Amino acid sequence: MAVRLPRPRRFDVYVALGSLLGGLLLWGVGLATRPHTEAYVLLPGRWPVLLPLLVMAGCELLRRTAPRAALLIGTAALALDTVTQGNLVTILMYTDLMYAAVLYGPPASAHRIPRITGLLSVAGTVVPFAVWREPEALLLGVVIGVVTFGPAATGLIVRNHRDAAEAARLRAEQTALLAEMDRTQAVTAERARMARELHDMVANHLSAIAIHSTAALSLDDPKTSQDALAVIRENSVEGLAEMRRLIGILRDSSGDNEPVAAPTLDGLGALVENARTNGLDITLDAAHGTVPAPVELAAYRIVQESLTNALKHAGHGRVTVSLAQRGGVLTVAVTSPYGDRDGPGAPGSGAGLVGMRERAALLDGTFEAGPEDSPDGKVWVVRATLPVHESVEGDTA
């Protein structure tokens, strides 16, 4: 089965062709590296010089596709050239093969070849001088070093710089990829924050508007309709104010991502009063000390969303809101009657529970919501525990 040789690169073809033409030019004008009278010139004359020249030019075609094979064949051709009168271009092509074998060859060869050629250069310097005791014998090691070790060392230096540049490029790509991932995560987190803030700001007011407008349309009572319209107007005005505040935050280019004038636990009284106006029977028990702003905002939003859900889904009965701070933990609990609602309700998407759970998780707290049995019957309980130590940090909006 015939072995298919790799296809040479175009640049290698140009190198081989140019070197061959240069060598033929020197051969044609009769320029040789040694006279035929030298003792080690075993094949004198012009024609023996052509064989190593042609073989070396053929090896140049493989300088990148098969660098180690090209170097081995080129070494044999150089050994043949040393017993002829020689051609300078043959030696120059061999130095290029040595350089290419280190630069384009496997990593093991790239580090092994300079060591071998270095040892050969030292041996070529020491051994002839020890045998002949002539200063001229030192030139043999110099020639070996110039022809072998010099190109090999140059190829290793270039390869190291090339590998370093490639590693730097890969690190830059990885850095860019990580930066893009961080940017995507930041955008996702900001969108989730804005969704929670928008939902908590508007859902309560819109739910009240939907419930009271349904009541006004279903009951033919001027007094009831008048009261419902008053509640609808109050909730629409407050909802518009909340929307304007959020739009102002989004338009603010100062770089402050925290909500301006964020609600605090001191505003729970007004929140409860508003819920009473919307028709809920509520009791508030808030026993807490000073808590960090992120925890304060999260607790307020959890109570707000719980009251919104009670307004939309709770049956007839009392809603209780309690806050207690013990052992570095603020516990928020909201209970409401669990059962079918007598009056009109409002649809829900479940986003409120998701938002409350996210707020608690961002502060390393816990959240649970579901029906429970109580002495007064079955109730729906929303309970969250939020750490209140000062090291709490996070995006709770």
Side-chain angles (χ1 to χ4, degrees):
M1 184 176 180
V3 178
R4 187 174 181 180
L5 295 176
R7 185 176 180 179
R9 305 288 183 88
R10 179 178 299 179
F11 178 78
D12 298 342
V13 174
Y14 294 155
V15 170
L17 184 59
S19 300
L20 179 61
L21 292 177
L24 292 176
L25 178 62
L26 294 182
W27 176 81
V29 298
L31 291 179
T33 57
R34 295 174 294 276
H36 67 279
T37 56
E38 292 286 346
Y40 51 85
V41 176
L42 304 180
L43 300 174
R46 298 179 59 193
W47 293 103
V49 177
L50 289 180
L51 180 58
L53 177 66
L54 293 174
V55 173
M56 201 72 75
C59 291
E60 285 282 28
L61 296 174
L62 306 176
R63 61 190 298 273
R64 277 193 285 187
T65 55
R68 290 192 298 181
L71 181 61
L72 291 175
I73 299 173
T75 301
L78 182 65
L80 178 62
D81 184 73
T82 57
V83 298
T84 67
Q85 290 186 247
N87 191 303
L88 180 61
V89 176
T90 301
I91 299 175
L92 293 178
M93 283 192 289
Y94 182 78
T95 61
D96 181 65
L97 293 179
M98 182 68 70
Y99 169 83
V102 176
L103 182 60
Y104 303 116
S109 299
H111 292 86
R112 188 182 300 120
I113 292 175
R115 289 197 294 266
I116 295 174
T117 55
L119 293 175
L120 288 177
S121 300
V122 173
T125 303
V126 175
V127 174
F129 180 76
V131 173
W132 294 324
R133 300 291 180 177
E134 294 289 341
E136 289 80 3
L138 299 174
L139 297 177
L140 181 60
V142 174
V143 172
I144 294 176
V146 170
V147 175
T148 59
F149 179 71
T154 304
L156 182 60
I157 293 173
V158 173
R159 183 179 183 125
N160 289 338
H161 282 291
R162 187 186 66 178
D163 292 344
E166 180 66 15
R169 185 186 65 81
L170 291 177
R171 284 196 299 271
E173 290 181 355
Q174 292 175 354
T175 302
L177 179 60
L178 291 175
E180 179 62 21
M181 293 174 61
D182 290 342
R183 188 194 68 82
T184 302
Q185 292 176 356
V187 170
T188 302
E190 181 64 13
R191 291 180 63 180
R193 185 186 74 85
M194 292 169 57
R196 289 193 301 269
E197 184 72 8
L198 181 61
H199 179 275
D200 293 341
M201 282 181 175
V202 180
N204 184 49
H205 302 297
L206 292 183
S207 298
I209 291 173
I211 292 172
H212 285 279
S213 60
T214 302
L217 291 174
S218 60
L219 299 177
D220 188 14
D221 184 0
K223 181 65 169 61
T224 302
S225 299
Q226 186 73 18
D227 294 341
L229 289 175
V231 174
I232 289 172
R233 184 184 184 282
E234 180 181 354
N235 280 276
S236 62
V237 170
E238 292 180 0
L240 285 174
E242 294 281 4
M243 284 292 294
R244 290 192 185 98
R245 186 175 72 84
L246 181 59
I247 293 172
I249 294 172
L250 297 179
R251 287 181 174 176
D252 186 11
S253 60
S254 62
D256 184 8
N257 293 327
E258 293 298 325
V260 178
T264 64
L265 293 180
D266 294 336
L268 287 180
L271 184 64
V272 168
E273 287 300 323
N274 182 65
R276 289 197 181 104
T277 303
N278 291 330
L280 291 180
D281 180 14
I282 305 178
T283 60
L284 173 64
D285 180 15
H288 61 85
T290 303
V291 297
V295 176
E296 195 170 19
L297 177 60
Y300 182 93
R301 292 304 189 196
I302 290 174
V303 172
Q304 183 184 41
E305 179 57 27
S306 299
L307 295 181
T308 300
N309 290 339
L311 179 65
K312 292 190 293 186
H313 308 297
H316 179 72
R318 174 163 295 185
V319 178
T320 63
V321 178
S322 64
L323 283 81
Q325 183 176 347
R326 299 184 186 89
V329 174
L330 177 66
T331 301
V332 180
V334 180
T335 62
S336 57
Y338 183 73
D340 294 334
R341 183 182 178 87
D342 296 335
S349 62
L353 293 177
V354 174
M356 289 189 285
R357 183 172 287 107
E358 288 177 350
R359 290 182 185 278
L362 287 172
L363 295 172
D364 296 329
T366 62
F367 174 83
E368 57 183 5
E372 293 183 4
D373 293 326
S374 72
D376 298 330
K378 206 165 191 178
V379 295
W380 180 270
V381 180
V382 174
R383 185 179 293 107
T385 59
L386 308 173
V388 296
H389 49 82
E390 291 297 330
S391 62
V392 170
E393 293 181 358
D395 180 12
T396 63

